[in-house]
Amino acid sequence: MSRIYKKFKLPFLVPVITTSFIIILILTGLHIPYDTFMIGGQWINLLLGPAVVSLAYPLYKQRTQLMQNAVPILSGVIVGSVVGMVTGLAFAELLGVTKQILYTLLPKSITTPVAIQIADELGGISSLAASFVMIAGFTGLILGPLTFKLCRIDSMIGRGIGLGSASHAIGTVKAIEYGEQAVSMSSVAMTICALVGSLLAPLIVWFL
């Protein structure tokens, strides 16, 4: 899959998308239940935490840039996080979904381990929350490069923050293609979004 993506460079051919699609086809084609799949898949969930922690290394190497641009980085990430949560809820309300689905959808722009925990605490469906996170990640992964071109975003800091805020870990994978600075900024965005989301989600639910 990596060779195909490197050859054609089309966003929807990114390995994380194509492999996920193939796994879904296999599971549905062979009628394998989700619980059976998760006997092995649970190890992937367990490794998500350490994988996120490993992103601290490029973060450390870019610490000078982070300190110099602290205000625009923090303000951009916080605004992106809030907008992502509020717009998702607004569309869900228009569609008339249940409260449980609303609570499940709320942490869609937060990295998977944190989103699952938030959804579970709020009374949502943790497994479905993970699916929403993946959809948000894939959407940002596919539309992100096009958005950068249309809006003429050439800054690696801007691209990293955009990908990390909208597409969390999946966006950070895409940021690798833009260089170490973009990866570190995406890591920052993903981490701050997780913190903001953890604090903001209960408040939004209380208002609902």
Side-chain angles (χ1 to χ4, degrees):
M1 294 301 171
S2 296
R3 290 181 179 178
I4 294 174
Y5 175 65
K6 287 178 181 178
K7 182 176 181 179
F8 296 101
K9 287 292 181 180
L10 297 173
F12 56 85
L13 290 178
V14 172
V16 69
I17 295 179
T18 51
T19 52
S20 297
F21 181 69
I22 291 171
I23 290 172
I24 291 171
L25 287 179
I26 293 173
L27 293 177
T28 53
L30 298 178
H31 304 290
I32 299 174
Y34 176 77
D35 292 337
T36 301
F37 169 72
M38 283 306 295
I39 293 174
Q42 62 180 322
W43 298 106
I44 298 175
N45 278 344
L46 290 174
L47 291 172
L48 282 175
V52 172
V53 172
S54 69
L55 294 172
Y57 179 67
L59 198 63
Y60 173 76
K61 293 184 70 175
Q62 294 292 326
R63 62 191 182 280
T64 304
Q65 285 282 350
L66 290 173
M67 295 301 295
Q68 291 175 349
N69 300 279
V71 174
I73 289 172
L74 287 173
S75 58
V77 172
I78 291 172
V79 169
S81 178
V82 172
V83 169
M85 296 178 76
V86 172
T87 52
L89 285 179
F91 281 118
E93 284 280 9
L94 287 174
L95 294 173
V97 302
T98 63
K99 291 290 185 181
Q100 188 179 37
I101 298 298
L102 279 177
Y103 301 154
T104 304
L105 183 65
L106 194 57
K108 66 175 176 56
S109 295
I110 302 173
T111 189
T112 305
V114 181
I116 290 174
Q117 188 65 36
I118 292 174
D120 192 51
E121 291 291 332
L122 295 178
I125 306 168
S126 57
S127 58
L128 187 58
S131 299
F132 286 148
V133 171
M134 293 294 288
I135 292 171
F138 289 155
T139 302
L141 186 67
I142 293 171
L143 298 181
L146 178 61
T147 303
F148 296 151
K149 287 183 179 180
L150 292 176
C151 298
R152 298 181 181 179
I153 300 175
D154 298 321
S155 166
M156 293 302 105
I157 294 177
R159 290 184 176 187
I161 290 174
L163 288 169
S165 299
S167 305
H168 34 83
I170 295 177
T172 304
V173 172
K174 178 65 178 178
I176 293 173
E177 297 180 20
Y178 297 119
E180 191 173 81
Q181 189 177 61
V183 174
S184 62
M185 297 304 161
S186 185
S187 302
V188 170
M190 182 174 63
T191 304
I192 297 175
C193 280
L195 293 173
V196 172
S198 299
L199 296 172
L200 192 61
L203 292 175
I204 293 176
V205 169
W206 183 74
F207 279 112
L208 290 174

